[in-house]
Amino acid sequence: MEFYSAYAQGFARVAACTMPVALADPAANARTVVALARECHDDGVAVAVFPELCLCGYSVEDLLLQDTLLDAVQAAIETIVEASAELLPVIVVGAPLAHGTRLLNCAVVIKGGRVLGVAPKSYLPNYREFYERRHFAPGDDLRGTTIRVAGAEVPLGPDLVFSATDLPGLRLHAEICEDMWVPVPPSADAALAGATVLANLSGSPITIARAEDRRLLVRSASFRANAAYVFAAAGQGESTTDLAWDGQTLVYECGDLLGEGERFPAGPYRTVVDVDLDRIRQERLRQGTFDDNRRTRQPTSREVPFELAAPAGDIGLRRKVDRFPFVPDDPERLARDCYEGYHIQVAGLMQRLEAIGTPKAVIGVSGGLDSTHALIVATRAMDALGRPRSDVLAYTMPGFATGETSRSLATRLSQAMGVTFEEIDIKPAAEQMLKDLDHPAAAGAPAYDVTYENVQAGLRYDYLFRLANQRGGIVVGTGDLSELALGWCTYGVGDQMSHYNVNAGVPKTLVQHLIRWTIDSGQFEQGTDEVLAEILEQEITPELIPAVAGQKTQATEDVVGPYALADFTLYHVLRRGYRPTKIAFLAWHAWHDAASGQWPPGFPEDRRPAYTLAEIRHWLDVFCRRFFASQFKRSALPNGPKVSAGGTMSPRGDWRMPSDAAATAWLADLENIPG
């Protein structure tokens, strides 16, 4: 398979289908199913799920016990089986089937010209508007059995898991409507037994607010099971004698909504999305208690293998890929995240200050994003503790390349916040150190190497630590999660070190939104907000190398790459464990067209870039090399709170890695990215 193939990158396309049912006319319904299955085939769908009893209609009531109807259902299944020989999808349809002396409410799983197996409904509702036990027997006791369908004896039971032999990770289980509403549904045991895609064929007549109940159940099932959950409800054509039907279709993956169809559709409707089989596998690898639960429950299952023969070419990607995985593009969700992130940081610093006693908070401010946000956190921590803001000791320390703009912003911000503020010129000390080192820059040569930069960066923190000693304080760190991942920090006595780092769990792409939230939520006075708004407009720069006439001023992203791409990679490495090729595939879909997809609220339109696959590959290479080379810095991190579910770099928390590990395998995988 080629790089641009979704299947090659660990995805499987699924469809939740609803359809106008012809009551008690299985032949007509079979034709509708086949027509929709052909559309799914054309879309490259691997699994197509239809509603409960869709071959005859859920609401046919006592007609279910008529031989004429049951014979027609068998013929309808044979029609679908015959058509399936030329179709890609695994087709999952609802049908009443006789077994022994009883009738079963079944999900019939069809692929490649044969019935793979039949999953009976385990739990039959017989309350309120439901009276299914009038017609059906529960199938929860049919594990390990068989049934004759379409001229063949096939597996029958709620224990069936249908496994694609040629697509690792695609393991399908089917349950029916009420099965999802019980405390321990069949799909829970199926997931523990290895099923990754859970299908629910539902009748589910609609009443006010029931759609919300379904969303809650489907989302929680997918979240708890670390699985994809595909839900298809009955809709148009079902009898409205006493009930109504909305044809709701839903697909969730690990608690995230991938797609929801139009409700009350006029005609057939398909919700088609791509589920991430790699994500499901990785989540289960990480959450060891998932397998512990399996060991406790000891679920049994029967595996039914099949060959999918998925398309090898580019079929696009039918799912949303967030440009900024750490930053929601939904305004309400972003506001909640910023509220929580801000208060996590403030609460963390408050606890540390109280645990020590009453130390002052010593912080270096540069006029940049990170130190600005750390100053915000420190100031609000003092407010919450009932201490004066003068207990925050803010220092700006201009060096050889400090610009007047950033210097002014640091000064004005500190003064507006009412903290204790001083300026310490580090140039004389830096010049002396360069002279002691016999560095060429001491004699005026433009030798702007890493030593030249780190003399300044190191001196700043040397001063901060000694000031903390002298004035009874602790150094509040400002470096962020992205800088730690890239090693963009000075080790030891430098911005890698502090007594407590409030920003260690905050990625660079989130910092600006946290600052913007403090403005929008009125955390400070108008004068402070005006300075914060100016800071948000500045380019990210360390200001360690003097500007040269006619040349671009030193910019961090020219060296480590765009933080947008770095954070994209960091999230998918840290949270998902993906290989570089998959990260590049996702990044290309997220970033190759700036005009498509959503952007976080407040993101300036003139700063919305697009990246080619070649650019993505280049910066992935930079990330991999820097990430592995910089682990020694992360192994010695000071304390600081975890903020994002995406993870943190603390060796005491989310990330433990040897400092001498090699990036060889990751760099080799990069070679599989075209261009």
Side-chain angles (χ1 to χ4, degrees), residues 542-620:
E543 292 192 319
L544 295 171
I545 297 176
V548 177
Q551 296 184 14
K552 187 177 184 293
T553 304
Q554 182 186 24
T556 300
E557 291 179 302
D558 290 345
V559 179
V560 301
Y563 275 114
L565 289 182
D567 280 359
F568 187 93
T569 300
L570 174 60
Y571 179 89
H572 289 99
V573 168
L574 185 59
R575 186 68 178 85
R576 301 281 170 82
Y578 290 164
R579 62 185 68 86
T581 46
K582 179 155 187 166
I583 295 172
F585 173 81
L586 290 169
W588 183 82
H589 277 281
W591 286 100
H592 77 278
D593 183 1
S596 67
Q598 295 175 288
W599 292 81
F603 201 95
E605 291 193 17
D606 60 347
R607 296 186 184 180
R608 298 183 177 185
Y611 299 107
T612 65
L613 185 59
E615 290 173 310
I616 290 167
R617 175 180 172 172
H618 169 72
W619 292 118
L620 255 174

Side-chain angles (χ1 to χ4, degrees), residues 3 15 18 56 221 255 292 294 301 338 415 560 587 644 649:
F3 171 82
T18 191
C56 60
D292 291 343
R294 175 200 60 79
S301 67
C338 288
Q415 292 172 345
V560 301
S644 168
M649 297 267 84

Side-chain angles (χ1 to χ4, degrees), residues 358-378:
T358 56
K360 296 180 172 61
V362 176
I363 185 169
V365 291
S366 66
L369 291 174
D370 290 347
S371 66
T372 292
H373 185 57
L375 182 61
I376 288 170
V377 170

Side-chain angles (χ1 to χ4, degrees), residues 300-320:
T300 58
S301 67
R302 284 178 290 164
E303 185 167 314
V304 182
F306 67 93
E307 183 180 352
L308 180 64
D314 182 4
I315 58 171
L317 188 64
R318 297 280 190 98
R319 66 185 282 133
K320 178 187 175 187

Side-chain angles (χ1 to χ4, degrees), residues 14 47 169-174 195-199 227-230 275 277 280:
V14 301
V47 178
L170 178 56
R171 295 169 58 84
L172 171 70
H173 176 267
T196 54
V197 177
L198 312 175
Y229 202 101
V230 186
V275 300
L277 301 176
I280 294 166

